[in-house]
Amino acid sequence: MKHLAKVKNKIGQYILVIFVTLTINFALPRLAPGDPLLYFFGETTINELTAEQKQEALHSLGLGGSLWEQYWTYLKGVFTLDFGTSIKYGVAVTEVLAERIPWTLLLVGTALILSLVIGVSAGAYSAWNRGKKRDLTILTGMLTLESIPGFWIGMMFLSIFAVQLGWFPTFGAVSMVQDGTTWGYIKDVVSHAILPVLTITLATVGSNYLLTRSSMLESLGQDYMTVAEAKGIKKRALVFKHALRNALLPIYTHFTLSVGTLLGGAVVIETVYSYPGIGRLLYESVTARDFPMLQGVFLLVTMGVILANLIADLTYPLFDPRVRNRKEEKGEEITHA
Amino acid sequence: MRKTTKWIGLTGLVLFSAMLIFAIFGPMMIPYDAYKASGPPFQSPNLEHLLGTNDMGQDLLAELAVGARTSLFIGIASAILAVFIGGLIGVLAGYIGGRFETVVLRIIDIVLTLPFLPLMIVVAVYMGAGIFTLVFVITLVMWAGKARQIRAQTLSIKHTGPVLAAKTMGASHFYIFYKHIIPGVVPIFIPQFVTGVNAAILMESSLSFLGMGDPLTKSWGSILFYANSRSAFLTEAWMWWIIPPGVCIVIVVLAFSLMGYYLEERFNPRLGDYSVREKRKKQLVKTKEHHSSKGVLLSVESLTVAYPKSGDYRSVVDDISFAVKNGEVLGIVGESGSGKSTIATAIIQQLKRPAKESGEIYFEGNLVQHFDDEGLRQMRGKEIGYIAQAAMNALNPVIRIDKQLQEAIRAHYQLSAKVMDERVVEVLQKVGLDEKWRFAYPHELSGGMKQRVIIAMALINKPKLVIADEPTTGLDAIVQVEIVQLLRKLQKELGISMIYISHDLPSVLSVTDRLMIMKEGRKVDEGPSVELSKLSTNPYTRVLIDSIPTLYPKKETVEVSR
Amino acid sequence: MSADLLRINSLKKSFYRSPSLQTKVLSDVSFSMKEGEIVGLIGASGAGKSTIGRIISGLETADSGEILFVGNELTKMKAKVRRQLAKDIQMVFQDPYEALSSRMKIHEIVAEPLHILQIEKGNLEQRTQLVKEALRSVNLEPDYYMNRYPHELSGGERQRVGLARAFVCKPKLILADEPTSMLDTSLRLDLIRLMKKMNEQEGTSYLFITHDIALTRDFCDRLIVLKNGEIVETGETLDVIMNPVHPYTKTLIEALFILENHGG
């Protein structure tokens, strides 16, 4: 019961977040100094427009009328999934988004799972061997990895494996020319995805590792570990059933949350590899001053984050019986100690 | 461990200082202007240009040094701002509480939910590229996390003894704030700042790499931005253009990570003192055959356990010898710090590292120190049951009671699920718990019930010896008595030997046959419980006995049935 | 031993975990204390005894009810006025390891009430005298202890510092919230004796909150037994111990009896 109430509370917060995002989207172009059209058309074009044309442009961009009217039209657009037309592509923003989403999910999804598996196993191994040479070696390695900016790993990989060695393609998600077979297509997609996936994995594995290590150490130091060991259970059960089982709780939360963050975080890595995902789209919209697109991407990513948060909240009780609470709380003792 | 931690922190400091020196003095020492062409483009390193030149013929080393200033400035400035703003808001929210706190927390939650990189990009696009835009957006996404952590710290200080005490003394808010809250919170600003710089420099490089930095000022990120947009990979000189700025970023971030790691280990003892014990090799176990003939189950011979303290080893258990016979209950009594619990963990060989142990412990005539890991495992739980302190944490919070009990059986016997469940029900009944509780999780049980489960767990394999380490501490008076009576009953019923460790003399006297009194790691007195309590002339024993508060005026002729 | 020092009238308090979940901690508690009296407040954990102490000391507010201290109604008082009364009501806490600030030296800790209440303001010498006197009254040699930090002291010594801090402004009432429960057995009676001594010398009253009935026998004049936020029995200490009326009190005392007689 308690947990459900908490989730309800959280949903209220998420609605607030969506609202804030929408408002940021709405407010920024209007708050920015100077003529809003300047952002949309650039200096040269704007001087060629007549006053009427300007007015029309303002309207088509939702910038005409009073602020409240504008806001209303804007909100209406959002709820009917109409984010306007992309300036760069000349088609609906949603259309472009739909095309790009699968690629980002492919990269981020694969990388997240790899990073989780590697990070958790290395973290658990390291914690169990705390203070030994192998722990310190892995720890130093992971701390170093944590310190490398993801895009730089990408640049290095690109230079070495794609350009110098020629093992992998240098850009994009698929080749221009296909041999027509499904198998060939899959191979092509995989070869394009390997470097970016590897890069995202390396850039995120450190935080999974560090979190696992520290929460493992925390549970290893608990009284229940002493008791479990005193029962004479085997080392494997001690590590996996008792220590890791408890350590997984914060890791799970971290994992679900990073799904959302990575959607947006992939922007630098997709840029390095010119990979046609959401992140790259964000970057392209910035350079092309494609503001409707920019707003659409930002909104989409925020929704992704919120969805991930919501899933984390709803599924957390599966992992932690303490918040499951089948019955009403029983007369718990209240002490001030 | 301590030493390595210090060493790690020092490494971080050295790396950072080196980079700082490079940023301050580099631009003065390098004879080229980073913003002007000083040679032909795409040069490989040579004597004139130590790192070569870029596509415009600018000296790369000079760029790097100028970039160091920008990157470090942005990193440090945003971290200071974020910690300062976050700190102020966090402290106020934590201290004032109420509606103000709720609102602040809501805002923090919202900021933390927003995807930070896209948010920064979107804001930066509208603000226009530049150093202050970068500082602004980094601060914008970073203050919230800092505020949350500093609020938590403030909150915990607010409820500590000194603050409560000052309140009851009639202290004003101002007094409490500047005398207790501020001095308590400011120390955590330092690690917050360190992790802040770390994150800020990474963010700066990412943003500059995407072209959000000042196009006219060089930073490490923007050098890479130009390298990327001008396809540095395709040239011969790519290595000299791409690697150095990346390495610089890694060095600075790593430096702050290492310092952060040091500060964390030093000021946040959350990670506990766990460290793994050495693996034990198989060896011939030394035996004392005559023990079994004399009915001695456990014999401890001049056991000494020492832990390092300020460079030296300090004994917590000092030359202790005793024996437990079959069916006998030995009480070990002492006040906190007397080393009594250490004896318990030494018997089951679960001393926390880095303990130094000497002396011999024989169980059934076999020297347990010679057991290998598997031998010890088979002894634990099967031959020797261990009842831990009635701490809240003795049961694993995420595993159901029946699973935890079954696990204790399965560690030593292979039984069918049905038989195991029967065994679980039986042992729960024995400790006075309804069988339905086996489907519960620990948090659904009261303190006394948890302790019954722990007792059930220790007895489930019918061990020969049970060690009960302060089994009643932390329980209510009435529950304490119930637990003591339960232990007594079970011990008699099963005829097992027991070591009962406690600081609570009355309960020990009611359970034990023989008593050992400890003080500061040494044995000060030993003898049959009743005689010891009435006749001992040892001054320390007398102090302990006489300081027991009694309900009824002491009569010299207390009827004793045991 | 004449006028009421403290009078509590139908004190009520609930904690709200959420709007739907409310836990009653105190339901209608009333009692009074005379000047110079030592009253023991007994009960298991969760009985609400600590909450009473915290409400009187002002750390928590009651939902309803009155607290009269020498005729002054505390609950309706403005915070500023109430602070003046702090001189007469001091508190001793349960955990000696937590109650003293690790950043302050012993003499600073003991002098803190003087500082806060601006007693002998500007007169450093007089203050030092008061601190020394307070330390001596708890058998701590001032010259040895004044300039030490709490971490250099044992648990028993720390708790005595806590007591000295309460004594230093010579309050009329000391609220002692389980001051002995974290101490080793051999030190408990020592602390009780020190408190008793102050009662005999200065007439200090105590509200002694504890779960340990045995400790109250030689210390308290009167006992109040609390269960689930209600007073179930009151009376002279020895009366309650020898002839408990309420079944709960009987169980409490029986439990101790069993132990004292080594399990019978």
Side-chain angles (χ1 to χ4, degrees), chain B residues 149-206:
Chain B
Q149 298 197 14
I150 289 166
R151 171 196 159 263
Q153 178 76 6
T154 311
L155 216 58
S156 68
I157 294 177
K158 194 176 148 189
H159 294 297
T160 53
V163 173
L164 295 181
K167 268 193 193 166
T168 62
M169 291 170 210
S172 63
H173 289 299
F174 178 73
Y175 176 87
I176 293 175
F177 209 76
Y178 95 92
K179 190 88 193 189
H180 291 286
I181 304 278
I182 295 295
V185 171
V186 166
I188 79 152
F189 277 34
I190 298 160
Q192 288 296 334
F193 167 74
V194 167
T195 50
V197 177
N198 190 331
I201 286 182
L202 275 178
M203 285 191 227
E204 185 276 328
S205 70
S206 292

Side-chain angles (χ1 to χ4, degrees), chain B residues 271-445:
Chain B
L271 297 187
D273 49 2
Y274 162 81
S275 64
V276 69
R277 279 186 288 275
E278 290 301 318
K279 203 176 183 133
R280 289 164 179 254
K281 295 222 171 59
K282 222 176 174 120
Q283 57 178 316
L284 200 67
V285 178
K286 190 175 156 191
T287 53
K288 286 199 172 174
E289 291 295 341
H290 61 278
H291 275 172
S292 48
S293 58
K294 283 185 188 164
V296 173
L297 181 65
L298 177 86
S299 134
V300 172
E301 294 169 14
S302 40
L303 176 72
T304 298
V305 180
Y307 280 98
K309 197 187 176 184
S310 47
D312 204 18
Y313 273 86
R314 204 178 68 92
S315 301
V316 282
V317 171
D318 195 355
D319 196 20
I320 295 279
S321 303
F322 64 88
V324 181
K325 290 193 175 135
N326 288 318
E328 186 184 39
V329 182
L330 172 73
I332 302 181
V333 177
E335 308 209 309
S336 48
S338 61
K340 55 193 190 307
S341 288
T342 310
I343 294 180
T345 36
I347 295 171
I348 51 173
Q349 294 287 293
Q350 283 188 192
L351 286 168
K352 284 222 158 71
R353 281 221 330 159
K356 225 168 76 176
E357 182 195 3
S358 66
E360 295 179 330
I361 300 170
Y362 292 93
F363 181 72
E364 294 190 298
N366 299 317
L367 185 63
V368 296
Q369 280 107 333
H370 279 181
F371 285 14
D372 65 345
D373 281 333
E374 181 57 21
L376 280 176
R377 190 188 72 72
Q378 284 177 11
M379 178 186 83
R380 292 179 191 140
K382 188 180 176 192
E383 311 291 341
I384 301 181
Y386 174 68
I387 299 170
Q389 271 198 30
M392 299 298 283
N393 279 333
L395 291 169
N396 193 325
V398 297
I399 303 179
R400 238 167 52 182
I401 299 297
D402 61 337
K403 297 270 185 286
Q404 299 199 42
L405 286 168
Q406 286 171 9
E407 188 181 53
I409 309 173
R410 204 178 306 116
H412 305 287
Y413 301 99
Q414 279 192 318
L415 297 176
S416 72
K418 194 169 155 281
V419 179
M420 261 203 292
D421 191 53
E422 281 168 12
R423 185 88 188 89
V424 167
V425 171
E426 183 194 325
V427 76
L428 281 180
Q429 275 166 357
K430 213 170 235 161
V431 296
L433 273 181
D434 191 288
E435 57 180 80
K436 73 173 186 207
W437 289 112
R438 70 189 192 279
F439 301 123
Y441 284 95
H443 72 278
E444 294 168 303
L445 306 183

Side-chain angles (χ1 to χ4, degrees), chain C residues 4-64:
Chain C
D4 277 353
L5 176 71
L6 180 76
R7 168 149 215 107
I8 308 264
N9 285 333
S10 50
L11 208 59
K12 286 180 188 164
K13 173 84 182 169
S14 294
F15 284 128
Y16 298 90
R17 213 165 296 211
S18 66
S20 57
L21 210 75
Q22 170 190 356
T23 324
K24 226 176 222 175
V25 197
L26 297 177
S27 47
D28 205 2
V29 170
S30 309
F31 65 90
S32 68
M33 279 177 76
K34 291 194 189 349
E35 224 162 276
E37 199 178 23
I38 303 177
V39 173
L41 205 53
I42 307 241
S45 61
K49 53 192 197 305
S50 280
T51 310
I52 295 180
R54 292 169 64 92
I55 291 174
I56 299 172
S57 68
L59 289 177
E60 249 163 83
T61 49
D63 296 343
S64 67

Side-chain angles (χ1 to χ4, degrees), chain A residues 164 229 232 242 246 330, chain B residues 126 238 277 377 396 407 444:
Chain A
Q164 304 293 327
E229 194 181 1
H242 287 269
N246 274 282
K330 45 170 199 52
Chain B
Y126 289 108
W238 66 272
R277 279 186 288 275
R377 190 188 72 72
N396 193 325
E407 188 181 53
E444 294 168 303

Side-chain angles (χ1 to χ4, degrees), chain C residues 41-130:
Chain C
L41 205 53
I42 307 241
S45 61
K49 53 192 197 305
S50 280
T51 310
I52 295 180
R54 292 169 64 92
I55 291 174
I56 299 172
S57 68
L59 289 177
E60 249 163 83
T61 49
D63 296 343
S64 67
E66 292 183 314
I67 305 166
L68 292 161
F69 182 72
V70 242
N72 300 302
E73 178 25 341
L74 291 187
T75 52
K76 294 201 180 73
M77 217 170 256
K78 283 219 175 89
K80 254 194 180 154
V81 188
R82 173 158 191 168
R83 275 188 217 130
Q84 303 306 312
L85 277 177
K87 182 192 170 301
D88 289 327
I89 309 176
Q90 289 286 311
M91 193 155 176
V92 180
F93 293 86
Q94 179 177 16
D95 188 345
Y97 290 88
E98 227 245 298
L100 311 179
S101 170
S102 55
R103 285 182 302 273
M104 291 159 81
K105 289 183 176 169
I106 299 304
H107 73 89
E108 290 174 287
I109 290 171
V110 177
E112 203 179 9
L114 303 175
H115 186 81
I116 290 172
L117 293 161
Q118 310 195 333
I119 296 170
E120 299 289 347
K121 200 179 179 189
N123 191 345
L124 206 66
E125 213 167 291
Q126 188 57 32
R127 267 195 189 168
T128 313
Q129 277 312 311
L130 286 173

Side-chain angles (χ1 to χ4, degrees), chain C residues 155-200:
Chain C
E157 287 169 331
R158 283 183 216 211
Q159 198 57 305
R160 279 188 274 161
V161 172
L163 206 56
R165 176 171 67 181
F167 285 159
V168 77
C169 50
K170 305 216 167 71
K172 292 197 174 103
L173 172 64
I174 290 181
L175 306 165
D177 186 1
E178 306 244 19
T180 57
S181 70
M182 313 262 296
L183 297 182
D184 281 324
T185 325
S186 65
L187 300 171
R188 291 182 183 176
L189 280 181
D190 280 353
L191 197 79
I192 296 288
R193 283 187 198 119
L194 287 172
M195 288 164 67
K196 185 88 180 169
K197 193 179 85 186
M198 271 330 251
N199 168 267
E200 280 159 5

